[in-house]
Amino acid sequence: MKNIFLFLFLFYLSSCSKKTEIYDLYISNAHYKLNIKTGEFNIDWYKNYKDSIRFSENEKKRINELIYKYHLDNLKGEKYVFGKENLIMPNFNDQFILKKENTIKSKIYISTQVNLKVSKLDKTEIDIYNFKEELFQLLNENKDFQKNMDTLKVAKKNDTRLFL
């Protein structure tokens, strides 16, 4: 009798899967801003350029899975990922904001100069770096995102901003 209850209890536990919560992801850097939830894409310094990127439900699901795969759901507050080497050029960062139910859970800043082979990163920083790499691989598969990146390339040729 005990074995039956034990079996049923274990079966119940194994059949209950952890419900993954949906996070809203915002990406921004010196060149553009992207809201994954709405698909809003802005290049505010280039004629206030605005466009929208359509993400399929599958793409949104894959992005959310990346958040869990690299344990970003466990991060709270602000996290900075910079290499330990001295910088010669200004450091422009990619910023990722994770929101859940309109509440900011974490802000992640990752240097564009971080190199996984050279920079001495801890486990969490490596996860963030790998998240960024996989995320941009996924985004580059999206035709709307590619179109906006092409627009950004044209805008950069005419960029007259001065960075100090």
Side-chain angles (χ1 to χ4, degrees):
M1 189 69 164
K2 286 183 184 178
N3 288 341
I4 293 173
F5 285 117
L6 180 63
F7 174 76
L8 290 174
F9 179 72
L10 290 175
F11 178 76
Y12 173 74
L13 286 179
S14 65
S15 65
C16 295
S17 63
K18 180 183 172 190
K19 184 178 186 302
T20 56
E21 299 176 85
I22 305 297
Y23 283 89
D24 299 330
L25 178 64
Y26 301 84
I27 303 169
S28 66
N29 57 34
H31 302 297
Y32 65 88
K33 294 176 184 157
L34 173 62
N35 178 338
I36 300 291
K37 181 180 182 178
T38 63
E40 210 174 282
F41 184 89
N42 297 327
I43 306 174
D44 57 1
W45 54 270
Y46 183 65
K47 304 175 188 174
N48 287 326
Y49 178 84
K50 292 182 182 190
D51 197 6
S52 61
I53 298 175
R54 287 168 293 201
F55 292 104
S56 68
E57 288 304 315
N58 185 41
E59 287 172 321
K60 288 180 182 179
K61 180 182 172 197
R62 287 174 55 197
I63 290 170
N64 204 56
E65 287 171 356
L66 286 177
I67 291 169
Y68 283 96
K69 177 180 177 181
Y70 291 110
H71 313 291
L72 300 187
D73 58 311
N74 296 330
L75 297 179
K76 305 288 183 244
E78 294 184 349
K79 179 69 177 166
Y80 296 88
V81 180
F82 296 99
K84 308 301 185 250
E85 59 277 354
N86 294 326
L87 300 176
I88 297 171
M89 296 293 289
N91 191 13
F92 303 112
N93 305 316
D94 288 320
Q95 177 186 21
F96 301 97
I97 298 174
L98 283 175
K99 285 185 173 183
K100 184 171 60 172
E101 299 170 359
N102 290 329
T103 303
I104 295 176
K105 294 299 179 186
S106 63
K107 288 185 180 181
I108 303 165
Y109 302 90
I110 182 167
S111 168
T112 57
Q113 297 174 353
V114 169
N115 181 331
L116 196 56
K117 294 178 182 167
V118 177
S119 302
K120 295 175 182 156
L121 305 176
D122 64 26
K123 168 88 171 89
T124 302
E125 293 171 336
I126 291 171
D127 280 348
I128 291 169
Y129 179 86
N130 289 331
F131 168 78
K132 176 186 170 184
E133 294 298 310
E134 272 194 60
L135 174 66
F136 281 102
Q137 284 177 354
L138 190 142
L139 291 175
N140 285 321
E141 294 172 6
N142 184 294
K143 300 290 185 204
D144 291 339
F145 184 78
Q146 289 175 358
K147 179 187 78 156
N148 284 294
M149 289 296 104
D150 291 342
T151 302
L152 182 61
K153 286 178 190 173
V154 171
K156 282 183 180 180
K157 288 180 184 176
N158 301 319
D159 189 1
T160 57
R161 296 177 296 165
L162 178 63
F163 294 104
L164 300 175

